Amino acid sequence: MISTVLKQCFLLLLVFSCFTTSKGNEPERGEQRPNIIVILADDLGYNDVGFNGSKEVNTPQIDALANNGIIFSNGYVTHSYCGPSRAGLLTGRYQARFGMENNCEHAPSDPYHGLPLTEKLFSKRLQEVGYRTAIIGKWHNGSAAHFQPLQRGFDYFYGFLGGGHNYFPKDVDLRGNPYKIPIQENHGLGEFNEYLTTALSKHAVQFIKRNKDNPFMLYMAYNAPHAPLEAPQELINKYNHIEDKERRIYLAMVEAMDQGIGSIIDALKETDTFENTLIFFLSDNGGVYPEEWCKSFDWADNYPFRRGKVALTEGGIHVPFIAHWPAKITEPRKFEGLVSSLDIAATSVAIGGATDPDNLLEGINLLPYFTGEEKGSPHKALYWRLEEADNLWAIRTERYKYLHQPLPNVGLSFFNMIEDPYEENNIEGKHEKEQAELAELWNEWNEKNINNILFQTYPYNQEMKKVYNKLYQDRLKQSAAREVYIVK
Ligand code: CA
């Protein structure tokens, strides 16, 4: 059995090891296919990396990738908070196409609550052509068995299924709180005996070393620097000069992530895979901002953009976003065209020699832009819809942005993004023709969306609790009424 599997793997290696793709899906002989690493930070502020100008944060590893790669200065995610943004990234499709416009709860008993099984993740597309695939960190796409990573095109999983996790092993608790559940490795328990960001990084390093001879794809989904604010004390101490205590811890969390990324880079260099590994780094949404419902969340820095996580202003969706790939990106630079997290799947599928026979992917293969073969903006327009029932939407073209969201000083807004990239001057109503054009584009896009299907989880869980509670009460009654037999 094992030898048959080995033979099949060997054959696959033979078939694929001599191909690469330089244009679309056309394989070329003679080069090894690249490895792909997608490093996703969680709730990282736009200005909380050195390469975007921060003087407070210490991110030398991320900055080195940025300064030797491409900085997407107009890089966006498809949603302003965690779960839907990840669903867009992993499928390479706008998540509104399949109704995933809300965060998944950690609801292992809910068989309907997760990224719909009709969707194929880019991990699966790569796995089908011989890539070894891993997710390390935060999943947040459904916790029932059939939604879990190993069912969605990943060979290896180390992390947690919910929307976040506490950072220290002492907090692990089997009862209730999804942020405290044991760390999972594949379908079993994962070793967890140090600061979580460090543990995640170590498992990434091990995965790289185990797979140095295969093409691999690693989805490195750090939960840092998402709340809870927790970091090793010695790292927090480095920020004693920062007055705000929460920001001190947050900056330490970012630095721990940067150190972890450094260990990943070291592993690539040690295994001689650094040159031919495409690394994307981005955040899943903007840093937190003290909105009405989370007034105390005030530790991230999205400067120069307005607001943050959850908002459709730039602070919520315009993220730190870079690509690094020494073999193909030979001229480090900033890139101004519109780039989307959707492009990660499209690029990976193209360079990995994987397929998309039904043309489902909505991103653009960025390789020709990396090499300079293509210039200009990969996208004509990017689109957002938060929850269709609530009339929360946005569209950005190269020149304009039109949005609606009932936040203070936002509402219905129209901006000239060339002259006013920080959205300071709302010109809604002053450019009727252009506004109508953007509205038409958005409506066309929205015609292909479906309703949000993830509303009901919380009530569903409440219903499940009632069902279990009734069973429990019935059992208590039976127990009380049971006849006690006497052993003689
Ligand atoms: Ca997030």
Side-chain angles (χ1 to χ4, degrees), residues 207-224:
F207 172 78
I208 290 166
K209 289 186 175 172
R210 282 199 303 276
N211 290 284
K212 61 183 166 53
D213 298 323
N214 307 307
F216 62 79
M217 188 281 279
L218 166 63
Y219 172 46
M220 184 70 215
Y222 285 108
N223 56 318

Side-chain angles (χ1 to χ4, degrees), residues 256-290:
M257 175 174 69
D258 188 76
Q259 290 175 355
I261 292 169
S263 68
I264 290 171
I265 293 168
D266 288 345
L268 293 172
K269 288 179 176 169
E270 269 175 46
T271 53
D272 204 20
T273 52
F274 187 63
E275 281 291 306
N276 201 24
T277 296
L278 165 59
I279 302 174
F280 285 107
F281 172 85
L282 73 165
S283 179
D284 68 334
N285 49 254
V288 294
Y289 182 87

